[in-house]
Amino acid sequence: MIFLIRSFAILLCAVLLLIGYNYIASPPMPSVKAEGRMVAPTPGSYCWESALKAECVDMAYASPWEQGLKKAPATVKAGVDILVDFNKQPLPGSLRAELWSSETDSKPALLQNGIFTAPKAPGIYVYHIFADWEQGSGNYAFSIEVK
């Protein structure tokens, strides 16, 4: 009898974990660190499907530059590593990024193993990140000021 109760409890916990995993209502937020300090990303538009609902949310930003400057830029030294990590890893090969140096000037950003290298030239920059998961996709932006 104790075996049946214990088995039922384990099965119930597993089912609840799976439901909770699929119930996440939006893409995971990235953790961004530069020089040991957290950098606050701003979430952008996303599409996400969970066990109970599916939705696409459109954020009203004129550009990734505006999205990234929604929060104050983090001050960093030229050439430092910036680490981007998700508590739920994106699909392999789906994490990509752009580096914006003005409202209209962007280029693909080199991202290796979740690490960017800050530009060497002083100025304000915005990183725009895109990622995909089985449940959907999302984008994020954050800004740095290289001194």
Side-chain angles (χ1 to χ4, degrees):
M1 183 67 168
I2 292 176
F3 175 75
L4 287 176
I5 293 172
R6 187 175 293 159
S7 297
F8 178 75
I10 290 171
L11 180 62
L12 181 61
C13 287
V15 168
L16 290 175
L17 283 172
L18 286 174
I19 289 172
Y21 177 78
N22 285 322
Y23 185 67
I24 298 171
S26 61
M29 282 291 289
S31 166
V32 181
K33 282 187 182 179
E35 297 183 307
R37 295 184 320 251
M38 298 301 293
V39 178
T42 301
S45 301
Y46 66 87
C47 287
W48 199 254
E49 184 176 343
S50 65
L52 301 177
K53 71 176 183 175
E55 69 178 345
C56 287
V57 175
D58 189 19
M59 301 300 208
Y61 298 112
S63 69
W65 180 259
E66 179 188 342
Q67 180 185 348
L69 292 174
K70 195 79 173 161
K71 297 176 182 164
T75 302
V76 300
K77 294 176 186 164
V80 301
D81 285 346
I82 301 169
L83 174 65
V84 176
D85 189 32
F86 289 90
N87 62 0
K88 180 179 187 221
Q89 292 304 308
L91 294 172
S94 75
L95 183 59
R96 55 213 182 278
E98 300 169 333
L99 176 62
W100 290 72
S101 55
S102 72
E103 178 78 35
T104 58
D105 187 26
S106 72
K107 63 181 181 180
L110 182 59
L111 176 64
Q112 293 183 325
N113 298 319
I115 298 175
F116 296 106
T117 301
K120 296 200 184 311
I124 294 178
Y125 299 90
V126 168
Y127 282 100
H128 190 212
I129 305 167
F130 309 86
D132 301 319
W133 293 266
E134 289 180 10
Q135 294 92 344
S137 61
N139 76 83
Y140 314 85
F142 64 90
S143 57
I144 61 169
E145 182 174 6
V146 175
K147 291 207 171 192

